[in-house]
Amino acid sequence: MRDGVTYLVVGGGGANLYRLGTRVPGSVVGVENHHFYVAVRADSQGISVRVAGVAQVQGEKVIPERRILDEFFLPRN
């Protein structure tokens, strides 16, 4: 979050993974070594966000792993 705005920066969608760089001030969550997708749902109450992991990368191995990496709700102002 910065200046009252919530930003989502994601990059776990299938390309080669790399280590997280320097985190931007205000960063809350950082996950390495996972392929994932982000599901977003908006309604009159606000926005729900779920980050779902599908695989973990360990060296040269890609290991299927389904789990929720993060989940949050942004209420409507």
Side-chain angles (χ1 to χ4, degrees):
M1 177 175 271
R2 189 173 194 174
D3 298 327
V5 178
T6 299
Y7 295 88
L8 300 177
V9 180
V10 298
N16 291 333
L17 301 178
Y18 52 89
R19 296 190 62 82
L20 290 174
T22 302
R23 305 262 311 262
V24 175
S27 293
V28 177
V29 175
V31 177
E32 290 186 319
N33 302 322
H34 280 81
H35 290 289
F36 59 88
Y37 66 90
V38 179
V40 179
R41 180 175 180 262
D43 61 27
S44 62
Q45 301 300 310
I47 299 172
S48 299
V49 179
R50 176 180 285 175
V51 181
V54 295
Q56 183 178 20
V57 179
Q58 296 178 355
E60 296 293 317
K61 295 181 182 179
V62 177
I63 302 164
E65 179 186 77
R66 292 185 177 165
R67 70 180 176 113
I68 302 303
L69 301 173
D70 193 23
E71 190 170 29
F72 56 94
F73 181 75
L74 302 170
R76 181 178 178 187
N77 290 334

